[in-house]
């Protein structure tokens, strides 16, 4: 790179640094937030578990409720269950597999209510810095849970507690509630090109 271009690059970086420093200076509030990870692309549940891992690294306690039980035992849950450090995580999975498999609204509704009762307890516990409500969006979309009740419990949580909600097709009410919303777009997925789902990558 010639000297002129290097010089203008350095100037640009200096301006960028000023903007970033000013933004850091402005953000002074300390509180728990609601993070919504939605969209059709891959990376929602793995993002939530990445944040869980991050919280545990700082010695925090966390809770996880999974509102869909798949047919595969996932690696992230197997790891929690056999890792002694994960005693800082309270975990609950929905009892039945919700379901394009079971097609039994009543059984699914019971399982959703049970899972939600666990979530309510976690959302009332100030010892938990982080609560992950994985695939919660579907419970609202298919009316297994009442949207207003869910919003109220999340709003009433302890002020320092952060909640992560994942799942496709998030209702607008969830988007409004959340402080941080990431919509993961489905640009490509290997499965659609015929690659089989893999342990350690997809589950
Ligand atoms: P992950 O658990 O990998 O972060 P996710 O939570 O974003 O994925 P889900 O909709 O919960 O996505 O689906 C979970 C499973 O479906 C994973 O095995 C994932 O690889 C796969 N999957 C996710 N998105 C897609 C997609 N767009 N096309 C095909 N399969 C997908
Ligand atoms: Mg998921």
């Amino acid at each position: 790179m010639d000297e002129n271009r290097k010089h203008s690059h350095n100037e640009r970086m200096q301006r960028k640094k000023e903007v970033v420093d000013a933004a850091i200076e402005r953000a002074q509030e300390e509180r728990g937030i609601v993070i919504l990870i939605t969209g059709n692309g891959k990376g929602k549940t793995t993002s939530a578990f990445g944040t869980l891992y991050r919280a545990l690294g700082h010695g925090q306690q966390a809770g996880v409720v999974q509102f869909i039980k798949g047919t595969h035992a996932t690696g992230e849950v197997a790891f929690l269950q056999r890792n002694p450090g994960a005693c800082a995580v309270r975990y609950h999975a929905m009892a039945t597999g919700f379901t394009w498999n079971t097609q039994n609204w009543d059984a699914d509704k019971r399982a959703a209510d049970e899972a939600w009762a666990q979530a309510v307890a976690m959302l009332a516990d100030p010892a938990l810095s982080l609560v992950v409500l994985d695939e919660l969006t579907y419970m609202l979309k298919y009316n297994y849970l009442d949207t207003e009740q869910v919003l109220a419990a999340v709003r009433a949580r302890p002020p320092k507690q952060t909640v992560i909600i994942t799942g496709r097709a998030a209702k607008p009410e969830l988007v409004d509630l959340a402080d941080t919303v990431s919509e993961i777009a489905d640009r490509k997925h290997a499965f659609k090109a015929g690659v089989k789902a893999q342990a350690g990558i997809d589950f």
Side-chain angles (χ1 to χ4, degrees):
M1 214 194 282
D2 68 36
E3 287 308 313
N4 272 344
R5 284 181 64 194
K6 275 189 207 160
H7 182 70
S8 71
H9 171 83
N10 289 348
E11 277 185 350
R12 236 184 8 255
M13 289 302 113
Q14 176 58 31
R15 283 196 298 275
K16 204 179 181 66
K17 179 174 162 20
E18 283 159 13
V19 170
V20 171
D21 287 350
I24 292 171
E25 189 55 36
R26 269 195 307 277
Q28 289 298 334
E29 197 181 343
E30 285 185 41
R31 63 173 172 89
I33 59 170
V34 178
I35 302 173
L36 174 64
I37 314 278
T38 190
N40 293 334
K42 172 175 165 57
K44 298 175 291 293
T45 297
T46 45
S47 165
F49 276 82
T51 309
L52 174 71
Y53 174 26
R54 185 174 272 179
L56 294 178
H58 288 287
Q60 298 173 2
Q61 292 183 48
V64 178
V65 180
Q66 291 197 297
F67 286 91
I68 289 189
K69 191 174 172 216
T71 45
H72 289 294
T74 62
E76 59 271 26
V77 172
F79 181 76
L80 279 186
Q81 284 167 346
R82 63 167 187 259
N83 196 300
C87 59
V89 183
R90 226 179 296 156
Y91 175 79
H92 181 85
M94 221 166 112
T96 63
F98 152 94
T99 142
W100 27 93
N101 288 328
T102 65
Q103 288 140 29
N104 183 337
W105 197 88
D106 291 320
D108 289 345
K109 166 71 179 150
R110 272 197 303 279
D113 285 341
E114 259 174 46
W116 177 243
Q118 298 293 321
V120 165
M122 293 176 188
L123 291 168
D125 186 347
L128 303 181
S129 302
L130 176 69
V131 175
V132 174
L133 304 175
D134 190 34
E135 320 296 352
L136 178 70
T137 57
Y138 305 104
M139 300 301 106
L140 306 187
K141 179 171 151 73
Y142 297 118
N143 296 313
Y144 291 126
L145 297 177
D146 178 69
T147 299
E148 273 312 313
Q149 256 181 22
V150 168
L151 297 179
V154 173
R155 280 201 202 99
R157 75 193 186 283
K160 295 245 169 88
Q161 187 182 79
T162 284
V163 176
I164 305 182
I165 296 170
T166 81
R168 300 178 193 204
K171 279 193 169 181
E173 291 92 325
L174 282 180
V175 175
D176 288 344
L177 173 75
D179 299 284
T180 295
V181 180
S182 292
E183 183 151 0
I184 301 183
D186 177 29
R187 294 278 289 269
K188 275 186 175 185
H189 193 291
F191 179 70
K192 289 177 186 142
V195 181
K196 199 173 165 181
Q198 298 176 57
I201 303 297
D202 296 295
F203 59 88

